[in-house]
Amino acid sequence: MTHEPLIEHVKNQVAARPEDLLLFASKLREVAVAKGKFLLRPNTYVKHEYFVVEGCLSAYYLDKKGNKTIVQFAIENWWLGDFDAFYNGVPSKLYIEALEDSTLLAINHDDLQTLFQQAPIFERYFRLLVTSAFISLRKRILSSLGKSVKERYMEFCESYPNIEDRVPNYQIANYLGVSAEGLSRARRKMKALKKT
């Protein structure tokens, strides 16, 4: 089991002591999810958060009419989960599906709470993650309100480098809240500009 990517992620955020990192690593378990399989489905109680070591997953919501809305992609070094369900003990509302064979590290809710008591630096680490996620969500909402498809796609590519080679165009369009045709037009225009 490889904890190294997550340990490096932690070190880039906070100054954790070696003994705190060892304690954290002891609370993790490896999870493998095959392409096309689900990590999570709605109406289940969520006991884990997940860190992506390798692979690509999407989290999405299905409304009553069956319309799919992608709320997150998770690639290497991203955290993923239904955080409302995890922290508030309510049934999940999301599907989480592997778009590629994926390797994750999972931490259990109770173990995380114990970790916060035994190694308080991890409260800071997870607070920084939540703050960053909140800011990203706010930027995404504001972007959808006032930016062109091209601008939104460029921001998406900055957040998810090289993901356009890993995720179908229609799923990226769904995430951006635009039609697949509109995204294709914007991408074609961008490629034409790069050639000139």
Side-chain angles (χ1 to χ4, degrees):
M1 178 173 11
T2 176
H3 297 108
E4 196 57 35
L6 179 50
I7 297 303
E8 287 304 312
H9 193 270
V10 171
K11 287 179 178 179
N12 288 333
Q13 300 290 323
V14 295
R17 300 175 307 173
E19 57 268 29
D20 293 337
L21 294 170
L22 285 172
L23 178 65
F24 181 48
S26 74
K27 308 235 181 254
L28 301 170
R29 72 175 178 87
E30 188 172 313
V31 177
V33 186
K35 179 180 179 177
K37 299 296 181 187
F38 290 91
L39 177 66
L40 181 66
R41 292 179 185 266
N43 298 315
T44 55
Y45 285 90
V46 177
K47 295 184 177 11
H48 296 89
E49 283 189 351
Y50 302 92
F51 179 83
V52 182
V53 175
E54 183 176 23
C56 180
L57 302 97
S58 71
Y60 62 88
Y61 174 77
L62 282 181
D63 68 17
K64 291 178 182 174
K65 294 180 180 179
N67 298 312
K68 180 178 179 177
T69 302
I70 297 173
V71 296
Q72 181 186 3
F73 290 106
I75 55 176
E76 291 81 7
N77 296 318
W78 283 62
W79 281 92
L80 177 70
D82 186 328
F83 301 115
D84 178 29
F86 180 79
Y87 285 105
N88 293 320
V90 297
S92 66
K93 294 178 180 72
L94 299 177
Y95 290 87
I96 298 178
E97 181 180 1
L99 302 177
E100 300 173 350
D101 290 343
S102 299
T103 303
L104 315 170
L105 293 173
I107 188 160
N108 176 282
H109 182 274
D110 293 341
D111 286 342
L112 184 60
Q113 299 310 309
T114 301
L115 181 68
F116 290 162
Q117 295 297 315
Q118 295 174 340
I121 192 70
F122 283 97
E123 280 192 309
R124 177 171 167 70
Y125 170 70
F126 280 92
R127 181 179 51 78
L128 290 171
L129 293 178
V130 169
T131 301
S132 177
F134 178 78
I135 291 168
S136 293
L137 178 60
R138 177 70 54 90
K139 285 181 179 178
R140 182 175 170 204
I141 291 168
L142 293 174
S143 179
S144 71
L145 295 174
K147 294 193 176 174
S148 70
V149 173
K150 177 184 167 188
E151 290 169 317
R152 285 190 269 175
Y153 179 67
M154 289 171 55
E155 286 177 354
F156 173 81
C157 289
E158 286 176 23
S159 295
Y160 296 100
N162 303 314
I163 198 168
E164 68 272 5
D165 299 328
R166 300 169 75 179
V167 176
N169 190 58
Y170 71 91
Q171 288 191 357
I172 295 172
N174 180 293
Y175 176 84
L176 294 174
V178 301
S179 70
E181 297 79 15
L183 180 58
S184 291
R185 277 192 301 277
R187 288 172 81 174
R188 276 194 304 275
K189 287 179 185 176
M190 288 171 62
K191 285 181 184 176
L193 288 174
K194 284 183 182 178
K195 289 180 182 178
T196 58

